Coordinates of all heavy atoms in Angstrom, one line a residue:
M1 N 138.5 172.8 114.9 CA 137.7 171.6 115.1 C 136.3 171.8 114.4 O 135.6 172.7 114.7 CB 137.5 171.4 116.6 CG 136.5 170.2 117.0 SD 137.2 168.7 116.4 CE 135.8 167.6 116.9
I2 N 136.0 170.9 113.4 CA 134.8 171.1 112.7 C 133.7 170.3 113.4 O 133.8 169.2 113.8 CB 135.0 170.5 111.3 CG1 136.0 171.3 110.5 CG2 133.6 170.5 110.5 CD1 136.2 170.9 109.1
K3 N 132.6 171.0 113.6 CA 131.5 170.5 114.4 C 130.2 170.6 113.6 O 129.9 171.6 113.1 CB 131.5 171.3 115.7 CG 130.7 170.6 116.8 CD 130.6 171.5 118.0 CE 131.8 171.3 118.9 NZ 131.7 172.2 120.1
N4 N 129.4 169.5 113.7 CA 128.1 169.6 113.1 C 127.1 170.2 114.1 O 126.8 169.5 115.1 CB 127.6 168.2 112.7 CG 126.2 168.1 112.2 OD1 125.6 169.1 111.9 ND2 125.7 166.9 112.0
Y5 N 126.7 171.4 113.9 CA 125.8 172.0 114.9 C 124.5 171.4 115.1 O 123.8 171.6 116.1 CB 125.7 173.5 114.6 CG 126.8 174.3 115.4 CD1 128.1 174.1 115.0 CD2 126.5 175.0 116.5 CE1 129.1 174.7 115.7 CE2 127.5 175.7 117.2 CZ 128.8 175.5 116.8 OH 129.8 176.1 117.6
M6 N 124.1 170.6 114.1 CA 122.8 169.9 114.2 C 122.9 168.9 115.3 O 122.0 168.7 116.1 CB 122.4 169.3 112.9 CG 121.0 168.8 112.8 SD 119.8 170.1 113.2 CE 119.5 170.8 111.6
E7 N 124.1 168.3 115.5 CA 124.3 167.3 116.6 C 124.1 168.0 117.9 O 123.6 167.4 118.8 CB 125.8 166.8 116.5 CG 125.9 165.5 115.8 CD 127.3 164.9 115.8 OE1 127.8 164.7 116.9 OE2 127.9 164.7 114.7
L8 N 124.7 169.2 118.0 CA 124.6 169.9 119.3 C 123.1 170.2 119.6 O 122.7 170.1 120.7 CB 125.3 171.3 119.1 CG 126.4 171.7 120.1 CD1 127.6 170.8 119.9 CD2 126.7 173.1 120.0
L9 N 122.4 170.6 118.6 CA 121.0 170.9 118.8 C 120.2 169.7 119.1 O 119.3 169.8 120.0 CB 120.4 171.6 117.5 CG 119.1 172.2 117.6 CD1 118.9 173.2 118.8 CD2 118.7 172.9 116.3
V10 N 120.5 168.6 118.5 CA 119.8 167.3 118.8 C 120.0 166.9 120.3 O 119.1 166.6 121.0 CB 120.1 166.2 117.8 CG1 119.7 164.8 118.4 CG2 119.5 166.4 116.5
D11 N 121.3 167.1 120.7 CA 121.6 166.8 122.1 C 120.8 167.6 123.0 O 120.2 167.2 124.0 CB 123.1 167.1 122.4 CG 124.0 165.9 122.0 OD1 123.5 164.8 121.8 OD2 125.2 166.1 121.9
E12 N 120.7 168.9 122.7 CA 120.0 169.9 123.6 C 118.6 169.6 123.7 O 118.0 169.5 124.7 CB 120.2 171.3 122.9 CG 120.3 172.4 123.9 CD 120.6 173.7 123.2 OE1 121.7 173.9 122.8 OE2 119.6 174.5 123.2
I13 N 117.9 169.4 122.5 CA 116.5 169.1 122.5 C 116.2 167.7 123.1 O 115.3 167.6 123.9 CB 116.0 169.0 121.0 CG1 116.2 170.4 120.3 CG2 114.5 168.6 120.9 CD1 115.3 171.5 120.7
F14 N 117.1 166.8 122.9 CA 116.9 165.5 123.5 C 116.8 165.6 125.1 O 116.0 165.1 125.7 CB 118.0 164.5 123.2 CG 117.9 163.2 123.8 CD1 117.1 162.2 123.2 CD2 118.5 162.9 125.0 CE1 116.9 160.9 123.8 CE2 118.3 161.6 125.6 CZ 117.5 160.7 125.0
N15 N 117.8 166.4 125.6 CA 117.8 166.6 127.1 C 116.6 167.3 127.6 O 116.1 167.1 128.7 CB 119.1 167.4 127.5 CG 120.3 166.5 127.3 OD1 120.2 165.3 127.5 ND2 121.4 167.1 127.1
E16 N 116.0 168.2 126.7 CA 114.8 168.9 127.1 C 113.6 168.0 127.2 O 112.7 168.2 128.0 CB 114.5 170.1 126.2 CG 115.4 171.3 126.5 CD 115.2 172.4 125.4 OE1 114.1 172.4 124.7 OE2 116.0 173.3 125.4
I17 N 113.5 167.1 126.3 CA 112.2 166.3 126.2 C 112.3 164.9 126.8 O 111.3 164.2 126.9 CB 111.7 166.1 124.7 CG1 112.7 165.2 123.9 CG2 111.6 167.5 124.1 CD1 112.0 164.7 122.7
K18 N 113.5 164.5 127.2 CA 113.7 163.1 127.6 C 112.8 162.7 128.8 O 112.4 161.5 128.9 CB 115.1 162.7 127.9 CG 115.7 163.4 129.1 CD 117.1 163.0 129.3 CE 117.8 163.8 130.4 NZ 119.2 163.6 130.5
N19 N 112.4 163.7 129.6 CA 111.6 163.3 130.8 C 110.1 163.3 130.4 O 109.3 162.8 131.2 CB 111.9 164.2 131.9 CG 113.3 164.0 132.4 OD1 113.8 162.9 132.5 ND2 113.9 165.1 132.8
S20 N 109.7 164.0 129.4 CA 108.3 164.1 129.0 C 107.9 163.1 128.0 O 106.7 162.9 127.7 CB 107.9 165.5 128.6 OG 108.9 166.1 127.9
Y21 N 108.8 162.4 127.3 CA 108.5 161.4 126.3 C 108.9 160.1 126.9 O 109.7 160.0 127.9 CB 109.3 161.6 125.0 CG 108.6 162.7 124.1 CD1 108.8 164.0 124.4 CD2 107.9 162.3 123.1 CE1 108.2 165.0 123.6 CE2 107.3 163.3 122.3 CZ 107.5 164.6 122.6 OH 106.9 165.6 121.8
K22 N 108.4 159.0 126.3 CA 108.7 157.7 126.8 C 110.0 157.3 126.2 O 110.1 156.7 125.1 CB 107.6 156.7 126.4 CG 106.4 156.8 127.2 CD 105.4 155.8 126.8 CE 104.2 155.9 127.8 NZ 103.2 154.9 127.5
I23 N 111.1 157.7 126.9 CA 112.4 157.4 126.4 C 113.1 156.6 127.6 O 113.1 157.1 128.7 CB 113.2 158.6 126.1 CG1 112.6 159.3 124.9 CG2 114.7 158.4 125.8 CD1 113.1 160.7 124.6
C24 N 113.8 155.5 127.3 CA 114.5 154.8 128.4 C 115.8 155.4 128.6 O 116.4 156.1 127.7 CB 114.6 153.3 128.3 SG 114.0 152.6 126.8
N25 N 116.4 155.1 129.7 CA 117.7 155.7 130.0 C 118.9 154.8 129.5 O 120.0 155.0 129.9 CB 117.9 155.9 131.6 CG 118.3 157.3 131.9 OD1 118.8 158.0 131.0 ND2 118.2 157.6 133.1
E26 N 118.5 153.8 128.7 CA 119.5 152.9 128.1 C 120.4 153.7 127.2 O 120.0 154.4 126.3 CB 118.8 151.8 127.3 CG 117.9 151.0 128.1 CD 118.6 150.0 129.0 OE1 119.8 149.7 128.7 OE2 118.0 149.5 130.0
E27 N 121.7 153.4 127.3 CA 122.7 154.0 126.4 C 122.4 153.7 124.9 O 122.5 154.6 124.1 CB 124.1 153.6 126.8 CG 125.2 154.4 126.2 CD 126.6 153.9 126.6 OE1 126.7 153.4 127.7 OE2 127.5 154.0 125.7
K28 N 122.0 152.5 124.7 CA 121.7 152.0 123.3 C 120.5 152.8 122.8 O 120.5 153.2 121.6 CB 121.4 150.5 123.4 CG 121.0 149.9 122.0 CD 120.6 148.5 122.1 CE 120.3 147.9 120.8 NZ 119.2 148.5 120.1
C29 N 119.4 153.0 123.5 CA 118.3 153.7 123.1 C 118.6 155.1 122.8 O 118.2 155.7 121.7 CB 117.1 153.6 124.1 SG 116.4 152.0 124.2
I30 N 119.3 155.8 123.7 CA 119.7 157.2 123.5 C 120.5 157.3 122.2 O 120.3 158.2 121.4 CB 120.4 157.7 124.7 CG1 119.5 157.7 126.0 CG2 121.0 159.1 124.5 CD1 120.2 157.9 127.3
H31 N 121.5 156.5 122.1 CA 122.3 156.5 120.9 C 121.5 156.3 119.6 O 121.6 157.1 118.6 CB 123.4 155.4 121.0 CG 124.3 155.3 119.8 ND1 125.7 155.7 120.0 CD2 124.1 155.0 118.5 CE1 126.3 155.6 118.8 NE2 125.4 155.2 117.9
D32 N 120.6 155.3 119.6 CA 119.8 155.1 118.4 C 118.8 156.2 118.1 O 118.6 156.6 116.9 CB 119.0 153.7 118.6 CG 119.9 152.5 118.5 OD1 121.1 152.7 118.1 OD2 119.4 151.4 118.7
I33 N 118.2 156.8 119.1 CA 117.3 157.9 118.9 C 118.0 159.1 118.3 O 117.5 159.6 117.3 CB 116.7 158.3 120.3 CG1 115.7 157.2 120.8 CG2 115.9 159.6 120.1 CD1 115.3 157.4 122.2
K34 N 119.2 159.4 118.8 CA 119.9 160.6 118.2 C 120.4 160.2 116.8 O 120.3 161.1 115.9 CB 121.1 160.9 119.1 CG 120.7 161.5 120.5 CD 121.9 161.9 121.3 CE 121.5 162.5 122.6 NZ 122.6 162.7 123.5
S35 N 120.8 159.0 116.6 CA 121.3 158.7 115.2 C 120.2 158.8 114.2 O 120.3 159.3 113.1 CB 121.8 157.2 115.2 OG 122.9 157.1 116.1
I36 N 119.0 158.2 114.6 CA 117.9 158.2 113.6 C 117.4 159.7 113.4 O 117.2 160.1 112.2 CB 116.7 157.4 114.2 CG1 117.0 155.9 114.2 CG2 115.4 157.7 113.3 CD1 116.0 155.0 114.9
A37 N 117.3 160.5 114.4 CA 117.0 161.9 114.3 C 118.0 162.6 113.4 O 117.6 163.3 112.5 CB 116.9 162.6 115.6
L38 N 119.3 162.4 113.6 CA 120.3 163.1 112.8 C 120.3 162.7 111.4 O 120.6 163.5 110.5 CB 121.7 162.9 113.5 CG 121.9 163.8 114.7 CD1 123.1 163.3 115.5 CD2 122.1 165.2 114.3
N39 N 119.9 161.4 111.1 CA 119.9 161.0 109.7 C 118.7 161.6 109.0 O 118.7 161.7 107.8 CB 119.7 159.4 109.7 CG 121.0 158.7 109.9 OD1 122.1 159.3 109.7 ND2 120.9 157.4 110.3
N40 N 117.7 162.1 109.7 CA 116.6 162.8 109.1 C 116.7 164.3 109.1 O 115.7 165.0 108.8 CB 115.3 162.3 109.8 CG 115.0 160.9 109.5 OD1 115.1 160.5 108.4 ND2 114.6 160.1 110.5
L41 N 117.8 164.8 109.6 CA 118.0 166.2 109.6 C 119.2 166.7 108.8 O 120.1 165.9 108.7 CB 118.2 166.7 111.1 CG 116.9 166.6 112.0 CD1 117.3 166.6 113.5 CD2 116.0 167.8 111.7
P42 N 119.2 167.9 108.2 CA 120.3 168.3 107.5 C 121.5 168.6 108.4 O 121.3 169.1 109.5 CB 119.9 169.6 106.8 CG 118.7 170.1 107.6 CD 118.1 168.9 108.3
T43 N 122.7 168.3 108.0 CA 123.9 168.6 108.8 C 124.1 170.1 108.7 O 123.6 170.8 107.7 CB 125.2 167.9 108.2 OG1 125.3 168.2 106.9 CG2 125.1 166.4 108.4
H44 N 124.8 170.7 109.7 CA 125.0 172.1 109.6 C 126.4 172.4 110.1 O 126.7 172.3 111.3 CB 124.0 172.9 110.3 CG 124.0 174.4 110.0 ND1 123.1 174.9 109.1 CD2 124.8 175.4 110.4 CE1 123.3 176.2 109.0 NE2 124.4 176.5 109.7
Y45 N 127.3 172.9 109.2 CA 128.6 173.3 109.6 C 128.8 174.8 109.4 O 128.3 175.3 108.4 CB 129.7 172.5 108.8 CG 129.6 171.0 109.1 CD1 128.9 170.2 108.2 CD2 130.3 170.5 110.2 CE1 128.8 168.8 108.5 CE2 130.2 169.1 110.4 CZ 129.5 168.3 109.6 OH 129.4 167.0 109.8
F46 N 129.5 175.4 110.3 CA 129.7 176.9 110.1 C 131.1 177.1 109.6 O 132.1 176.3 109.8 CB 129.7 177.6 111.5 CG 128.2 177.7 112.0 CD1 127.7 177.0 113.0 CD2 127.4 178.7 111.4 CE1 126.4 177.1 113.4 CE2 126.1 178.9 111.8 CZ 125.6 178.1 112.8
K47 N 131.2 178.2 108.9 CA 132.5 178.6 108.3 C 133.4 179.1 109.5 O 133.0 179.4 110.6 CB 132.4 179.7 107.3 CG 131.7 179.2 106.0 CD 131.5 180.3 105.0 CE 132.8 180.8 104.4 NZ 132.6 181.9 103.4
Y48 N 134.7 179.1 109.2 CA 135.7 179.4 110.2 C 135.4 180.7 111.0 O 135.6 180.7 112.2 CB 137.1 179.4 109.6 CG 138.2 179.6 110.6 CD1 138.7 178.6 111.3 CD2 138.8 180.9 110.8 CE1 139.7 178.7 112.2 CE2 139.8 181.1 111.7 CZ 140.3 180.0 112.4 OH 141.3 180.2 113.3
D49 N 135.0 181.7 110.2 CA 134.9 183.0 110.9 C 133.5 183.4 111.3 O 133.2 184.5 111.5 CB 135.5 184.1 110.0 CG 135.1 184.1 108.6 OD1 134.1 183.3 108.3 OD2 135.6 184.8 107.7
T50 N 132.6 182.4 111.4 CA 131.3 182.6 111.9 C 131.3 183.1 113.3 O 132.1 182.6 114.1 CB 130.4 181.4 111.8 OG1 130.4 180.9 110.4 CG2 129.0 181.6 112.2
T51 N 130.5 184.1 113.6 CA 130.6 184.6 115.0 C 129.8 183.7 116.0 O 128.9 183.0 115.5 CB 129.9 186.0 115.1 OG1 128.5 185.9 114.7 CG2 130.6 187.0 114.1
E52 N 130.2 183.8 117.2 CA 129.4 183.0 118.2 C 128.0 183.4 118.3 O 127.1 182.6 118.5 CB 130.1 183.3 119.6 CG 131.4 182.6 119.9 CD 131.4 181.1 119.6 OE1 130.4 180.4 120.1 OE2 132.3 180.6 118.9
A53 N 127.7 184.7 118.0 CA 126.3 185.1 118.0 C 125.5 184.4 116.9 O 124.3 184.0 117.1 CB 126.2 186.6 117.8
D54 N 126.1 184.2 115.7 CA 125.4 183.5 114.6 C 125.2 182.1 115.0 O 124.2 181.5 114.6 CB 126.2 183.7 113.3 CG 126.0 185.0 112.7 OD1 125.0 185.7 113.1 OD2 126.8 185.4 111.8
K55 N 126.2 181.5 115.6 CA 126.1 180.1 116.0 C 124.9 179.9 117.0 O 124.1 179.0 117.0 CB 127.4 179.6 116.6 CG 128.5 179.5 115.6 CD 129.8 179.0 116.2 CE 130.9 179.0 115.2 NZ 132.2 178.8 115.8
K56 N 124.9 180.9 118.0 CA 123.9 180.8 119.0 C 122.5 181.0 118.4 O 121.5 180.3 118.7 CB 124.1 181.9 120.0 CG 123.3 181.7 121.3 CD 123.9 182.4 122.5 CE 123.2 182.0 123.7 NZ 123.8 182.4 124.9
A57 N 122.4 181.9 117.4 CA 121.1 182.2 116.7 C 120.6 180.9 116.0 O 119.4 180.6 116.0 CB 121.3 183.3 115.7
F58 N 121.6 180.1 115.5 CA 121.2 178.9 114.8 C 120.5 177.9 115.8 O 119.5 177.3 115.6 CB 122.4 178.2 114.2 CG 122.2 176.8 113.8 CD1 121.8 176.5 112.5 CD2 122.5 175.7 114.6 CE1 121.5 175.2 112.1 CE2 122.2 174.4 114.2 CZ 121.8 174.1 112.9
L59 N 121.1 177.8 117.0 CA 120.6 176.9 118.0 C 119.3 177.4 118.6 O 118.5 176.6 119.1 CB 121.7 176.7 119.2 CG 123.0 176.1 118.8 CD1 124.0 176.2 119.9 CD2 122.8 174.6 118.4
L60 N 119.0 178.7 118.6 CA 117.8 179.2 119.2 C 116.7 179.4 118.3 O 115.6 179.7 118.7 CB 118.2 180.5 119.9 CG 119.1 180.4 121.1 CD1 119.4 181.8 121.7 CD2 118.5 179.5 122.2
E61 N 116.9 179.3 117.0 CA 115.9 179.6 116.0 C 114.7 178.7 116.2 O 114.7 177.4 116.2 CB 116.4 179.4 114.6 CG 115.8 180.3 113.6 CD 114.8 179.6 112.7 OE1 115.1 178.6 112.1 OE2 113.6 180.1 112.7
R62 N 113.5 179.3 116.5 CA 112.3 178.6 116.9 C 111.9 177.5 116.0 O 111.6 176.4 116.4 CB 111.2 179.7 117.2 CG 110.1 179.1 118.0 CD 109.1 180.2 118.2 NE 107.7 179.7 118.2 CZ 107.3 178.9 119.2 NH1 108.0 178.6 120.3 NH2 106.1 178.4 119.2
Q63 N 111.7 177.9 114.7 CA 111.2 176.9 113.7 C 112.1 175.7 113.6 O 111.7 174.6 113.5 CB 111.1 177.6 112.4 CG 110.2 176.8 111.4 CD 108.8 176.4 112.1 OE1 108.1 177.3 112.6 NE2 108.5 175.2 112.0
R64 N 113.4 175.9 113.7 CA 114.4 174.8 113.7 C 114.2 173.9 114.9 O 114.3 172.7 114.8 CB 115.8 175.4 113.6 CG 116.9 174.3 113.5 CD 118.3 174.8 113.2 NE 118.4 175.3 111.9 CZ 118.5 176.7 111.7 NH1 118.6 177.5 112.7 NH2 118.6 177.1 110.4
R65 N 114.1 174.5 116.1 CA 113.9 173.7 117.3 C 112.7 172.9 117.2 O 112.7 171.7 117.7 CB 113.9 174.6 118.5 CG 115.2 175.3 118.8 CD 115.1 176.2 120.0 NE 115.2 175.4 121.2 CZ 116.4 175.2 121.8 NH1 117.5 175.6 121.3 NH2 116.4 174.5 122.9
I66 N 111.6 173.4 116.6 CA 110.4 172.6 116.5 C 110.6 171.4 115.5 O 110.2 170.3 115.8 CB 109.2 173.5 115.9 CG1 108.8 174.5 117.0 CG2 108.0 172.7 115.5 CD1 107.9 175.7 116.6
S67 N 111.3 171.7 114.4 CA 111.6 170.6 113.5 C 112.4 169.5 114.1 O 112.2 168.3 114.0 CB 112.3 171.0 112.3 OG 111.8 172.2 111.7
V68 N 113.4 169.9 114.9 CA 114.3 168.9 115.6 C 113.5 168.2 116.6 O 113.6 166.9 116.7 CB 115.5 169.7 116.2 CG1 116.3 168.7 117.1 CG2 116.4 170.2 115.1
L69 N 112.7 168.9 117.4 CA 111.9 168.2 118.4 C 111.0 167.1 117.7 O 110.9 166.0 118.2 CB 111.0 169.2 119.1 CG 110.3 168.7 120.4 CD1 110.2 169.8 121.4 CD2 108.9 168.2 120.1
A70 N 110.4 167.4 116.6 CA 109.5 166.5 115.9 C 110.3 165.2 115.5 O 109.9 164.1 115.7 CB 108.9 167.1 114.7
K71 N 111.6 165.4 115.0 CA 112.4 164.3 114.6 C 112.8 163.5 115.7 O 112.9 162.2 115.6 CB 113.6 164.8 113.8 CG 113.3 165.5 112.5 CD 112.6 164.5 111.5 CE 112.4 165.2 110.2 NZ 111.4 164.5 109.3
V72 N 113.2 164.1 116.8 CA 113.6 163.4 118.0 C 112.5 162.6 118.6 O 112.6 161.4 119.0 CB 114.2 164.3 119.1 CG1 114.6 163.6 120.4 CG2 115.5 165.0 118.5
A73 N 111.3 163.2 118.7 CA 110.1 162.5 119.2 C 109.8 161.3 118.3 O 109.5 160.2 118.8 CB 109.0 163.5 119.3
E74 N 109.8 161.5 117.0 CA 109.5 160.4 116.1 C 110.5 159.3 116.3 O 110.1 158.1 116.3 CB 109.7 161.0 114.7 CG 109.1 160.2 113.5 CD 109.4 160.9 112.2 OE1 108.9 162.0 112.0 OE2 110.2 160.4 111.4
A75 N 111.8 159.6 116.4 CA 112.8 158.6 116.6 C 112.6 157.9 117.9 O 112.8 156.6 118.0 CB 114.2 159.2 116.5
A76 N 112.2 158.6 118.9 CA 112.0 158.0 120.3 C 110.9 157.0 120.2 O 110.9 155.9 120.8 CB 111.7 159.1 121.3
D77 N 109.9 157.3 119.4 CA 108.7 156.4 119.2 C 109.2 155.1 118.5 O 108.8 154.0 119.0 CB 107.7 157.1 118.2 CG 106.5 157.6 118.9 OD1 106.5 157.6 120.2 OD2 105.6 158.1 118.2
I78 N 110.0 155.3 117.5 CA 110.5 154.1 116.8 C 111.3 153.2 117.7 O 111.2 152.0 117.8 CB 111.3 154.5 115.5 CG1 110.4 155.3 114.5 CG2 112.0 153.3 114.9 CD1 111.2 156.0 113.4
V79 N 112.3 153.9 118.4 CA 113.3 153.1 119.2 C 112.7 152.5 120.5 O 112.9 151.4 120.8 CB 114.5 154.0 119.5 CG1 115.4 153.3 120.5 CG2 115.2 154.4 118.2
C80 N 111.9 153.3 121.2 CA 111.5 152.9 122.5 C 110.1 152.4 122.7 O 109.7 151.9 123.7 CB 111.7 154.1 123.5 SG 113.4 154.3 124.0
S81 N 109.3 152.4 121.6 CA 107.9 151.8 121.7 C 108.0 150.4 122.2 O 107.2 149.9 123.0 CB 107.2 152.0 120.4 OG 107.8 151.3 119.4
K82 N 108.9 149.6 121.6 CA 109.0 148.2 122.0 C 109.5 148.0 123.4 O 109.0 147.2 124.1 CB 110.0 147.5 121.0 CG 109.4 147.3 119.6 CD 110.3 146.3 118.8 CE 109.8 146.2 117.4 NZ 110.5 147.2 116.5
C83 N 110.5 148.9 123.8 CA 111.0 148.7 125.2 C 109.8 148.9 126.2 O 109.7 148.2 127.2 CB 112.0 149.8 125.5 SG 113.2 150.1 124.3
Y84 N 108.9 149.9 125.9 CA 107.9 150.2 126.8 C 106.8 149.2 126.9 O 106.2 148.9 127.9 CB 107.3 151.6 126.6 CG 108.1 152.6 127.3 CD1 109.2 153.2 126.8 CD2 107.7 152.9 128.6 CE1 110.0 154.1 127.6 CE2 108.5 153.9 129.4 CZ 109.6 154.4 128.8 OH 110.3 155.3 129.6
R85 N 106.6 148.5 125.7 CA 105.6 147.5 125.7 C 106.0 146.3 126.6 O 105.2 145.6 127.1 CB 105.2 147.1 124.3 CG 103.9 147.5 123.9 CD 103.6 147.1 122.4 NE 103.6 148.3 121.6 CZ 104.2 148.5 120.4 NH1 105.0 147.5 120.0 NH2 104.2 149.6 119.7
K86 N 107.3 146.1 126.7 CA 107.8 145.0 127.5 C 107.7 145.4 129.0 O 108.0 144.6 129.9 CB 109.3 144.7 127.2 CG 109.4 143.7 126.1 CD 110.9 143.3 125.8 CE 111.5 144.4 124.9 NZ 112.9 144.1 124.7
G87 N 107.2 146.6 129.3 CA 107.0 146.9 130.7 C 108.2 147.5 131.3 O 108.5 147.2 132.5
N88 N 109.0 148.1 130.6 CA 110.3 148.7 131.0 C 110.0 150.0 131.8 O 109.8 151.0 131.2 CB 111.2 148.9 129.8 CG 112.6 149.3 130.2 OD1 112.9 149.4 131.4 ND2 113.4 149.4 129.2
Ligands
LIG1 ZN1 114.3 152.3 124.8

C-alpha cells in the first residue's frame, strides 16, 4: 500500500494544534485546511524496504514538523477566518 507520509504528518500536526488555533470542527473546514496545507508541502513516499525506524524519523524530524505546523496554521487562517468572523 503506497502512502504519502506527508499526509500522515499533516494529520498528526493538525490534531496537535486544532485546540490552540481558531479551527472549527466542521468536516468541510478540516478537509479544506488539510488539502491546502498538503498542496503547499512536498509529497513523501518511502521505498518498499524502508525501515519503520526511518519512517518514524521522518515524522519526528523537528524542522519538518515546524514547516508543517506553519503550513497548517496558514491554511487554518485562510479557511476559518471567515467562519470565526460570523461568530461561530
Ligand atoms: Zn471553519
